[in-house]
Amino acid sequence: MLSQLEHFSTIALYSAMIVYAIAFVFYAVDLANRSGDAAQADGRADANAAAGAAPADEHAAAATSSLEATATGSIAVGSTATKVRPAPAVQPRAGASAPVDGPGKAGRSKALRIGFSLTALGFLLHLAATVLRGIGAERVPWANMYEFALTATCAIVLIFLLVQFVVDLRFLGTLVTGLTVLFLGITKVNYYVEIVPLQPALDSYWLVIHILVAVLAVGFFTLSFGLSLLQLLQNRRENRTAAGDFAGMNYLTGLPTAVRLEDLAYRLAIIGFVFWTFTLIAGSIWAEAAWSRYWGWDTKEVWTFVIWVLYAGFIHARATRGWRGTRSAWLSIVAYAAVIFNFAIVNVFFKGLHAYSGL
């Protein structure tokens, strides 16, 4: 029975990965459509500029002839003056305008709607794979690296879906689905283990509390990381636009401004930081119950604290004017890299009391 549940869990997982991959393609098509729409807008702006130049030249020629006629006395007294029409106003180029605060028209594209719907379907399959793994193991499905990755990626997608009720972040779909497929693929190949009984040190209700909160923190940190990455790209695009260079990076058209992206990354990081702080506290309480000490400078404990410090620094950077913008975005990216390092490197190559990878 347990082997059958694990088999069904694997099928659901592979199915979810396929659906996520298809959703990734549709999100990528949406980004490509943004580039195409921006290029067409640039072309129309150039056409309008060219159309407006010709009448202006004609009016200038007429004015010159009138001046010459006046100088030679050839203009008749009482002659009717030619009424000059003003040249049509040239519309600003699409690249020169600041991005709107939200996905805009591109955010309602058919490709984006399909991608988001497929993401929801992939999440249901992903959730089924996670739940079946837990039922098969007769415990919560996060007692080793494979199960933690399975649950954490599910939480990332869940938070991505739920946050849409507050603010439209569907433009992160490419990154969310791409990272999810990548993480699940690496996890299935490198970290998969058969269902085994729970180790005595993990047989505690703190396993539910400590890891669940950590999973939620990782979900919010992932979205914050994606926004910081987009912030760097959008900031580069805005600087190039200000310098008069409208070529390239049109896929960022319609996305929020760099300032808005930084603000969203900051808000999500705060939520993740609160969860991570509770993770640190709950881990200390659990350590005292399991090993009779709250803190022992174990490698896992140290890196958990390092991540806390990095995100505390990122949040504090918002209060320091000199560390806003590009610097704070890089700090957010470095902090998320520490999260990945903590999972993929510390769990595998650093042995200690937290060596529960199952490998």
Side-chain angles (χ1 to χ4, degrees):
M1 179 64 180
L2 297 181
S3 61
Q4 288 182 345
L5 289 175
E6 175 60 14
H7 177 66
F8 292 144
S9 174
T10 301
I11 293 177
L13 177 61
Y14 283 138
S15 301
M17 292 174 64
I18 293 173
V19 174
Y20 284 144
I22 298 174
F24 173 85
V25 172
F26 277 98
Y27 285 126
V29 169
D30 173 69
L31 292 179
N33 288 339
R34 294 175 189 267
S35 299
D37 293 341
Q40 292 177 4
D42 280 347
R44 288 193 297 268
D46 291 338
N48 291 337
D57 292 340
E58 293 174 1
H59 300 322
T64 302
S65 300
S66 176
L67 290 174
E68 292 175 352
T70 303
T72 56
S74 59
I75 294 183
V77 178
S79 61
T80 303
T82 303
K83 186 177 182 180
V84 180
R85 294 178 302 171
V90 179
Q91 298 295 328
R93 297 170 65 95
S97 59
V100 296
D101 187 13
K105 182 178 179 181
R108 297 188 295 270
S109 71
K110 183 177 181 180
L112 190 59
R113 293 197 303 270
I114 295 175
F116 188 77
S117 299
L118 288 173
T119 304
L121 175 60
F123 166 74
L124 294 177
L125 293 169
H126 193 168
L127 181 63
T130 307
V131 171
L132 288 172
R133 174 80 180 193
I135 295 175
E138 298 180 343
R139 52 171 169 76
V140 290
W142 50 71
N144 51 58
M145 285 185 66
Y146 170 73
E147 293 174 356
F148 180 87
L150 189 65
T151 306
T153 49
C154 189
I156 291 172
V157 180
L158 174 62
I159 294 172
F160 170 71
L161 294 174
L162 293 180
V163 79
Q164 310 305 323
F165 292 100
V166 180
V167 58
D168 192 348
L169 296 182
R170 287 176 296 172
F171 53 84
L172 284 178
T174 307
L175 179 135
V176 170
T177 54
L179 283 181
T180 300
V181 173
L182 178 64
F183 289 163
L184 288 177
I186 294 175
T187 298
K188 190 64 177 177
V189 172
N190 297 305
Y191 304 141
Y192 175 78
V193 291
E194 298 288 343
I195 295 177
V196 294
L198 198 63
Q199 298 185 33
L202 296 178
D203 190 10
S204 170
Y205 61 88
W206 283 108
L207 175 66
V208 179
I209 301 173
H210 176 63
I211 303 301
L212 179 60
V213 176
V215 162
L216 294 175
V218 170
F220 284 103
F221 285 157
T222 301
L223 295 186
S224 178
F225 159 74
L227 290 167
S228 295
L229 193 61
L230 279 180
Q231 175 194 340
L232 292 177
L233 296 174
Q234 190 69 285
N235 184 70
R236 182 182 178 186
R237 176 180 179 270
E238 291 173 358
N239 290 337
R240 290 174 57 178
T241 300
D245 182 7
F246 305 107
M249 305 185 76
N250 288 330
Y251 58 91
L252 297 173
T253 301
L255 267 62
T257 63
V259 174
R260 175 60 173 165
L261 290 170
E262 180 183 4
D263 182 65
L264 291 172
Y266 165 72
R267 293 170 183 269
L268 289 173
I270 286 180
I271 300 175
F273 180 74
V274 171
F275 282 119
W276 196 258
T277 301
F278 187 80
T279 299
L280 203 60
I281 296 173
S284 297
I285 297 174
W286 189 8
E288 196 278 333
W291 304 313
S292 300
R293 51 73 167 171
Y294 290 99
W295 191 266
W297 296 104
D298 184 74
T299 308
K300 190 73 173 178
E301 294 173 344
V302 170
W303 272 98
T304 302
F305 180 68
V306 167
I307 294 169
W308 186 90
V309 171
L310 287 173
Y311 274 103
F314 168 62
I315 294 172
H316 178 71
R318 290 279 301 182
T320 307
R321 192 171 187 84
W323 276 87
R324 290 187 179 183
T326 302
R327 290 182 177 181
S328 66
W330 276 114
L331 186 54
S332 172
I333 293 172
V334 170
Y336 188 73
V339 174
I340 301 301
F341 183 86
N342 184 44
F343 172 76
I345 304 299
V346 173
N347 284 339
V348 177
F349 299 102
F350 293 86
K351 301 303 179 182
L353 294 176
H354 293 80
Y356 300 123
S357 64
L359 302 178

